Amino acid sequence: MSTGESGYGGAANEGLVDFGEQGGRLTYGSYLRVRELLDQQVLESDPAAHDELLFITIHQVYELWFKLMLHELDDARDRMLTGEAYLPRVRLERCLVIQRTLVGQVDVIDTMTPQDFVVFRHKLAPASGFQSAQFREIEFLSGAKDPGYLRRFKGLSEAERTRLRRRLEEPSLWDGFLAVLAKAGFAVDSGQERIAAYTAIAGDRERYGALWDLAEAMVAHDQACALWRARHVVMAERQIGMKAGTGGSAGGDYLRSRTPIRFYPELWELRTHL
């Protein structure tokens, strides 16, 4: 078989992009803005504390993952609002892999000892991970909307406040899930009707497999967030014990108070009806 017949080379390659390294206009560094990215790790300690670069890098990476999660969850929500079930599940499954990565990254923070952290921790006040607007966006989008967050925290930029207000007003993933159920013919106006719908779906996975898989993807997303919160508590206690948080929060006590949060309590309640 000739190269032309096989589809490799010859006329078959005409018009294809050349990915060689012959002085292309777009490079790895320019496409990813590597120089600008690596300029963002600015240490506050003087003299520079060795572990501050680790601390900054980890949290900046978290924010990049949060940005991607919001991109995926927005699309999942928007598609569910139209009654779609397949791609929302795919988006949620991608987020689940990201969330597992987020939990794993805490192990990197745990390589920093409390003695090394205390060298520069005072430089963080009053900044705190508690103030991450993107993380709050994920919670609001997922269904755990807390209007009080905007009242309690003064360090948010106006752009962050605008985004969070929009998240409070717009439909959540839960609203999208109920839209999927309604399109499938289930009544979802009351809690009793919704439990009946979940029970019917769980009892006939041959018929409602796509709906069951979507519901389980939402539970997995919920569970992964809970596991991240729990892992965060243990990490914080290992680093600062029972000290107050840098953002004015109660530190470990506050973080522990957040661990019972569930985005989709009705899907958890379903387990008691099976």
Side-chain angles (χ1 to χ4, degrees):
M1 181 181 291
S2 70
T3 56
E5 291 172 332
S6 67
Y8 298 99
N13 278 338
E14 289 182 4
L16 294 181
V17 175
D18 184 359
F19 285 94
E21 297 184 15
Q22 294 81 21
R25 289 171 295 178
L26 187 66
T27 68
Y28 174 88
S30 62
Y31 177 64
L32 297 179
R33 305 291 194 271
V34 171
R35 180 179 61 79
E36 295 88 343
L37 182 65
L38 298 182
D39 282 342
Q40 302 309 306
Q41 294 74 49
V42 181
L43 277 60
E44 292 288 335
S45 56
D46 185 19
H50 180 82
D51 281 4
E52 190 178 0
L53 179 60
L54 177 149
F55 188 86
I56 292 173
T57 301
I58 285 291
H59 287 82
Q60 288 183 342
V61 171
Y62 272 137
E63 292 296 327
L64 289 174
W65 284 128
F66 292 162
K67 180 176 182 177
L68 180 56
M69 282 186 66
L70 287 167
H71 176 68
E72 301 296 338
L73 295 175
D74 273 332
D75 190 67
R77 185 271 318 276
D78 292 346
R79 290 178 180 276
M80 284 195 288
L81 288 171
T82 69
E84 189 175 340
Y86 173 73
L87 280 177
R89 174 181 60 79
V90 173
R91 304 293 186 249
L92 285 163
E93 288 175 347
R94 176 176 291 171
C95 286
L96 178 60
V97 178
I98 295 171
Q99 289 168 287
R100 289 171 178 163
T101 301
L102 296 179
V103 173
Q105 284 182 185
V106 179
D107 292 341
V108 183
I109 300 178
D110 272 345
T111 65
M112 177 176 64
T113 67
Q115 300 95 310
D116 292 328
F117 187 30
V118 77
V119 172
F120 66 91
R121 182 175 183 257
H122 66 285
K123 291 288 186 179
L124 305 183
S128 170
F130 186 42
Q131 298 165 333
S132 171
Q134 286 200 117
F135 183 73
R136 297 301 168 185
E137 284 191 74
I138 291 172
E139 289 195 325
F140 291 2
L141 176 57
S142 297
K145 297 184 178 183
D146 178 11
Y149 179 78
L150 276 72
R151 296 191 300 270
R152 291 193 298 270
F153 296 97
K154 311 301 182 183
L156 297 171
S157 69
E158 192 52 43
E160 290 171 333
R161 288 185 179 277
T162 298
R163 291 204 317 268
L164 288 168
R165 290 191 192 101
R166 176 171 58 84
R167 294 294 184 188
L168 288 172
E169 296 168 359
E170 69 184 17
S172 67
L173 285 164
W174 182 246
D175 296 316
F177 180 65
L178 295 183
V180 172
L181 296 188
K183 185 177 180 180
F186 291 101
V188 295
D189 291 334
S190 70
Q192 186 175 2
E193 288 175 332
R194 292 192 294 272
I195 290 295
Y198 313 145
T199 304
I201 291 167
D204 192 350
R205 286 174 289 176
E206 183 68 27
R207 181 180 180 184
Y208 298 118
L211 298 180
W212 172 256
D213 290 344
L214 178 58
E216 286 298 277
M218 293 184 67
V219 169
H221 165 63
D222 199 348
Q223 181 182 43
C225 281
L227 291 173
W228 188 86
R229 293 188 201 97
R231 184 66 180 89
H232 194 190
V233 170
V234 176
M235 177 270 292
E237 290 181 344
R238 177 171 177 169
Q239 294 295 335
I240 66 172
M242 300 308 294
K243 295 175 185 175
T246 51
S249 74
D253 285 343
Y254 167 77
L255 294 173
R256 201 176 299 106
S257 74
R258 304 284 294 178
T259 56
I261 292 174
R262 295 294 180 269
F263 299 144
Y264 317 117
E266 290 183 359
L267 294 182
W268 293 95
E269 182 187 347
L270 167 66
R271 273 69 184 159
T272 66
H273 297 275
L274 297 180

